[in-house]
Amino acid sequence: TGSNSLATGLLSVPATAGVVRSGWDPEHIDGGGPLSRLAVLVFVAYLLVDLGVGVVDYRQRVTFWLGWVHHACYLALCLHLLERGRTNGMCMFLIEEVPTAVLAASR
């Protein structure tokens, strides 16, 4: 979780900064570049690994809603945005992973 949060958070900074610099231009939010695409791909990989590890190591905590539905919805959204080339918008939310990385580092 800590590694993913650090990677996705840092990879999303350029796209998020670009959105802000564009004056929150909807066309820029609707776009995507190599780093924003990579950030979303790393997040997709994390979602899949988190479910896999969860099923093996802490099955009782992978509930239907907070495990399967939550991860499936994020996966569907991310795959849709990747397919459409609209990853800048997702990066605006992935930057919120930075505080998670800080919390993970303090453990």
Side-chain angles (χ1 to χ4, degrees):
T1 298
S3 298
N4 167 71
S5 297
L6 183 63
T8 56
L10 293 177
L11 287 169
S12 68
V13 169
T16 303
V19 167
V20 173
R21 278 193 310 272
S22 76
W24 300 91
D25 178 19
E27 286 188 25
H28 192 81
I29 293 170
D30 204 27
L35 283 179
S36 67
R37 189 171 177 78
L38 181 59
V40 175
L41 284 169
V42 168
F43 189 64
V44 165
Y46 166 73
L47 291 169
L48 294 170
V49 169
D50 191 42
L51 269 179
V53 170
V55 167
V56 173
D57 285 346
Y58 48 95
R59 183 180 297 258
Q60 71 280 5
R61 292 193 178 168
V62 180
T63 65
F64 177 73
W65 290 109
L66 297 177
W68 295 103
V69 172
H70 172 86
H71 282 65
C73 287
Y74 266 118
L75 280 167
L77 174 64
C78 289
L79 293 175
H80 170 75
L81 294 173
L82 282 163
E83 191 267 326
R84 298 285 183 176
R86 298 177 170 174
T87 50
N88 283 349
M90 186 66 184
C91 282
M92 294 182 341
F93 298 99
L94 288 178
I95 200 164
E96 295 177 6
E97 291 293 314
V98 172
T100 304
V102 172
L103 289 172
S106 69
R107 283 188 71 181

